[in-house]
Amino acid sequence: MKITFYGHACFGVELDGVSLLIDPFITPNKLAEGIDINAIKADYILITHGHEDHVADALFLAQKNDATIVSNFEIVSWFAEKGHVKGHPMNHGGNKNFGDFSVKYVNAVHSSVLPDGTYGGNPGGFLVKANGKCVYFAGDTALNYDMKLIGDFEQLDAAVLPIGDNFTMGIEDACIASEFIQCDKIIGMHFNTFPYIEIDSEYAVEYFRKRERELILLTIGDNLKL
Ligand code: NI
Ligand code: MN
């Protein structure tokens, strides 16, 4: 499993022969101007919630790649109305086996409205399982006790957690989350894109290191192999 960071909360997940893309927000993100979205392959686009900074490039990339949009029912229906009908709706607690991989839609404590004001269902995160690996993409979320369920019943190889504070967990709460989910390999996201979520990256990495945990801050365009 290869996880590529495309900036903000957007990640590519490359499996043997299948490409997933999570929360595409690339062209409006100045920090990601080095990324060519025309070069991104996606068979499935997973969307955690409806906010602009998670869906901005989803319609374009879904149509270009003939991708299946996987999200909650409201978001999948919204894209269908926008002209992209290839979708797979889910809701909290649901797991779907797509053959090469499976996806479980789990709780997130946040909000979810689509860019035009349409109700975006309840926000979530994803557990992605493939080739014996399991990665948790938390989406935008506060620290919450439901994360303990994941830690108690799943073996995570890595987790992608928001660390930018203000709209989501900050560094300290993300470190507590890593305890709840019993995973010490954390990939940070949702930081530095806007002034509201600027962080001190050195402090963040050091904060985790002091607690014997690893916080990985990928450079945009870089990847991690699991
Ligand atoms: Ni959000
Ligand atoms: Mn967001």
Side-chain angles (χ1 to χ4, degrees):
M1 192 185 286
K2 186 171 102 176
I3 299 174
T4 304
F5 184 43
Y6 292 119
H8 196 52
C10 182
F11 290 84
V13 180
E14 224 175 285
L15 310 170
D16 301 333
V18 185
S19 300
L20 319 185
L21 186 68
I22 294 144
D23 287 354
F25 173 77
I26 298 159
T27 55
N29 182 2
K30 277 202 179 113
L31 300 180
E33 61 191 5
I35 302 294
D36 173 13
I37 66 163
N38 290 297
I40 293 176
K41 278 201 307 173
D43 300 298
Y44 295 84
I45 297 177
L46 279 55
I47 297 175
T48 59
H49 65 292
H51 291 156
E52 172 76 13
D53 59 317
H54 299 259
V55 304
D57 294 311
L59 187 60
F60 171 80
L61 286 168
Q63 291 183 327
K64 184 171 180 293
N65 290 280
D66 191 29
T68 301
I69 291 179
V70 179
S71 189
N72 67 37
F73 186 85
E74 291 81 359
I75 289 173
V76 168
S77 303
W78 186 77
F79 279 103
E81 273 176 31
K82 299 279 170 200
H84 191 80
V85 295
K86 201 168 170 186
H88 181 86
M90 302 185 75
N91 213 327
H92 290 142
N95 185 70
K96 168 68 183 173
N97 190 338
F98 288 95
D100 299 301
F101 66 99
S102 72
V103 169
K104 189 171 185 179
Y105 193 60
V106 297
N107 283 347
V109 175
H110 194 63
S111 57
S112 178
V113 67
L114 287 148
D116 63 2
T118 303
Y119 172 60
N122 288 311
F126 295 105
L127 290 172
V128 176
K129 293 183 194 176
N131 304 326
K133 305 275 184 198
C134 180
V135 179
Y136 171 42
F137 292 88
D140 287 7
T141 184
L143 176 66
N144 66 82
Y145 247 51
D146 281 348
M147 290 171 173
K148 287 201 174 205
L149 278 174
I150 296 170
D152 285 348
F153 297 102
E154 304 284 352
Q155 284 283 339
L156 298 180
D157 295 282
V160 178
L161 303 181
I163 57 169
D165 223 330
N166 195 76
F167 298 117
T168 66
M169 295 189 285
I171 295 154
E172 297 82 1
D173 279 2
C175 196
I176 297 169
S178 78
E179 284 177 34
F180 284 4
I181 60 177
Q182 297 176 37
C183 175
D184 55 16
K185 190 186 273 294
I186 304 301
I187 302 167
M189 58 98 165
H190 217 272
F191 63 97
N192 287 352
T193 320
F194 318 110
Y196 281 128
I197 58 172
E198 271 170 15
I199 65 158
D200 180 338
S201 298
E202 261 178 51
Y203 166 80
V205 170
E206 193 56 27
Y207 189 90
F208 273 67
R209 196 188 349 248
K210 278 185 184 153
R211 286 153 186 84
E212 288 168 9
R213 281 161 197 278
E214 186 183 10
L215 175 66
I216 300 163
L217 301 181
L218 292 170
T219 300
I220 296 174
D222 276 1
N223 64 70
L224 180 81
K225 291 186 187 78
L226 292 175

